[in-house]
Amino acid sequence: MICSNTPSVLSDMHRTRAWVEIDLVAIAHNIKALKGLLSPTTDLMSVVKADAYGHGAVAVARVAIRSGATWLGVATVPEGIELRQAGIEVPILVMGAVNSPVEVRAIARWQLQPTIVSPKQALVFSETLATDLDMATTEISHPLPVHLQLDTGMSRLGFSWQQAVKLARFVQQLPHLKAVGLYSHLATADSPEPATMRLQHQRFEQAIADLKQVNLLPPTVHFANSAATLTDSALHYDMVRVGLSTYGLYPAPHLTKKIALRPALSVKARITHLKTIEAGAGISYGHRFVAPEPMRIAVVGIGYADGVPRLLSNKMQVAIAAKQVPQLGAITMDQLMVDVSALENVQEGEVVTLLGQAGDQTLHANHWAATTQTISWEILCGFKRRLPRITLS
């Protein structure tokens, strides 16, 4: 039998093993700093897909809106519904391609704004809404506001930029849809070499000109992601869509001097066991580290099942009492080992910082990304649900 006080017991255990801390003050700072780059007529969309890059979508959305964001961006319909159920009322763009009538109905029901990437998809939307209106099976608002996405060089979602007028005309003649937005997505905005970004910009500008000529340009045009927002105000248009920079990380090293961002996420765990090993003793699976001399090691209650990449084995530093020490041996599913030989009075239960502020230095997700040959976006999104999120405000 499960005791009635189980939720409070679980709450008490949030910091007993490992957890993620989210600094909402840092989120607010980042949004305000980004707003400072924009003209008064340019909106800021905070992209909170993937549970706000692992930071907690609802909490981040609320503080982003209080700090100046006027739109939210998600990838999936359930992500948008979660925000609506939390009482969030600002416009929400669903950036993934939706083709299911069930999702179309949910978009209408929850007043989300979908992305249209093809005439075929637009027809699915219109026919679904028409059927529901005839049958009066759902509460829907007509016409449904939609955003047209053009492919200017990403080769992912979007209709060809050369056929922007064709898509806009097709949507215009559908009685249950109204194009309120036009956008595209940059493929190389984080590169110091701007040639591809400039080509995409030229294509987008041509599509805009073509749509203006036939009076079909939607009222809200948006193009810039975080990198483009930091790079060039000519890319801002009516709105920018900022994801990574919301969370205090820069898309590329050459952009770090544009504004001062503050990382919002820290990862912490506790020492669960201490032991002394002899010279020649191997540590962890495969003995990928062998002690060259007697060592004092600490077992830390976090592993790759929590989101610490196994590729960091023998390649990462952690901090204990603001002093950095090396991780040793293979990172295991639920635990990892660190060298505490140089530290005095280390105790079981002591907090270990894996990411975040450690004294006057920051243990940074960018370092993890570089070491594992991935990107910081993947590191942030990789921390699993079993790590409680503790918000700091």
Side-chain angles (χ1 to χ4, degrees):
M1 181 176 178
I2 299 176
C3 297
S4 60
N5 65 345
T6 297
S8 63
V9 171
L10 291 176
S11 178
D12 291 342
M13 292 194 293
H14 276 174
R15 287 187 173 93
T16 59
R17 175 184 172 266
W19 63 96
V20 171
E21 291 180 357
I22 308 300
D23 184 351
L24 297 180
V25 175
I27 297 285
H29 165 86
N30 298 334
I31 294 293
K32 291 173 183 176
L34 290 160
K35 283 285 289 183
L37 297 174
L38 309 179
S39 75
T41 58
T42 300
D43 285 325
L44 185 145
M45 175 190 293
S46 185
V47 178
V48 294
K49 62 181 180 177
D51 198 32
Y53 294 28
H55 292 66
V58 171
V60 168
R62 285 174 174 158
V63 73
I65 293 165
R66 289 198 299 268
S67 304
T70 48
W71 284 70
L72 298 173
V74 297
T76 70
V77 176
E79 288 176 338
I81 293 173
E82 178 189 14
L83 297 172
R84 287 285 186 249
Q85 289 178 327
I88 292 169
E89 298 180 349
V90 301
I92 299 173
L93 175 65
V94 179
M95 295 182 287
V98 171
N99 296 282
S100 160
V102 172
E103 290 183 296
V104 172
R105 295 184 184 103
I107 283 173
R109 165 68 179 83
W110 293 98
Q111 299 181 31
L112 308 176
Q113 298 192 21
T115 295
I116 298 297
V117 300
S118 72
K120 179 182 177 181
Q121 182 206 15
L123 194 58
V124 170
F125 267 82
S126 188
E127 290 179 346
T128 300
L129 295 173
T131 299
D132 285 358
L133 185 62
D134 291 341
M135 297 178 63
T137 56
T138 60
E139 296 178 5
I140 57 178
S141 176
H142 292 276
L144 180 70
V146 302
H147 293 240
L148 310 181
Q149 184 174 9
L150 302 179
D151 183 3
T152 57
M154 181 73 173
S155 298
R156 191 174 63 178
L157 292 179
F159 205 54
S160 171
W161 63 275
Q162 295 103 322
Q163 301 184 63
V165 171
K166 177 181 177 181
L167 179 61
R169 277 185 174 149
F170 186 84
V171 171
Q172 183 190 41
Q173 56 88 33
L174 295 174
H176 304 299
L177 302 183
K178 180 180 180 180
V180 299
L182 177 79
Y183 77 105
S184 188
H185 194 72
L186 289 160
T188 65
D190 56 349
S191 171
E193 173 48 57
T196 299
M197 184 174 71
R198 286 175 179 168
L199 176 60
Q200 284 193 258
H201 188 202
Q202 291 168 6
R203 291 171 173 175
F204 194 55
E205 279 285 295
Q206 184 60 59
I208 290 171
D210 293 343
L211 290 166
K212 281 183 177 179
Q213 190 172 16
V214 294
N215 199 30
L216 287 176
L217 182 67
T220 300
V221 176
H222 46 111
F223 191 47
N225 54 12
S226 285
T229 300
L230 296 173
T231 298
D232 187 354
S233 61
L235 305 172
H236 292 176
Y237 292 97
D238 300 307
M239 180 166 64
V240 298
R241 308 184 306 267
V242 292
L244 189 70
S245 56
T246 293
Y247 309 104
L249 274 68
Y250 298 90
H254 70 280
L255 298 173
T256 57
K257 294 183 180 180
K258 298 290 184 176
I259 54 174
L261 298 175
R262 291 166 50 184
L265 180 146
S266 299
V267 179
K268 298 183 179 181
R270 292 191 187 275
I271 295 172
T272 61
H273 184 53
L274 291 161
K275 68 194 311 177
T276 300
I277 60 173
E278 300 299 323
I283 294 178
S284 194
Y285 294 117
H287 284 183
R288 293 166 60 179
F289 181 90
V290 176
E293 57 190 10
M295 301 179 72
R296 183 77 166 159
I297 66 169
V299 180
V300 183
I302 192 169
Y304 64 74
D306 301 291
V308 182
R310 195 169 184 270
L311 288 172
L312 287 174
S313 298
N314 284 320
K315 298 177 182 177
M316 66 180 291
Q317 298 278 317
V318 304
I320 301 172
K323 296 180 181 178
Q324 294 191 33
V325 296
Q327 184 273 326
L328 304 176
I331 294 169
T332 68
M333 185 178 290
D334 313 301
Q335 301 167 96
L336 56 82
M337 280 64 75
V338 299
D339 179 10
V340 294
S341 303
L343 303 182
E344 297 181 358
N345 301 319
V346 177
Q347 302 293 323
E348 290 165 348
E350 198 156 346
V351 174
V352 178
T353 299
L354 289 85
L355 287 180
Q357 200 66 28
D360 59 355
Q361 295 184 336
T362 300
L363 296 172
H364 211 290
N366 286 344
H367 176 70
W368 283 23
T371 302
T372 58
Q373 297 185 336
T374 186
I375 55 176
S376 52
W377 291 258
E378 183 177 11
I379 297 299
L380 294 181
C381 293
F383 295 109
K384 303 302 190 295
R385 285 281 186 174
R386 78 171 179 176
L387 290 182
R389 265 56 174 180
I390 309 297
T391 55
L392 309 177
S393 58

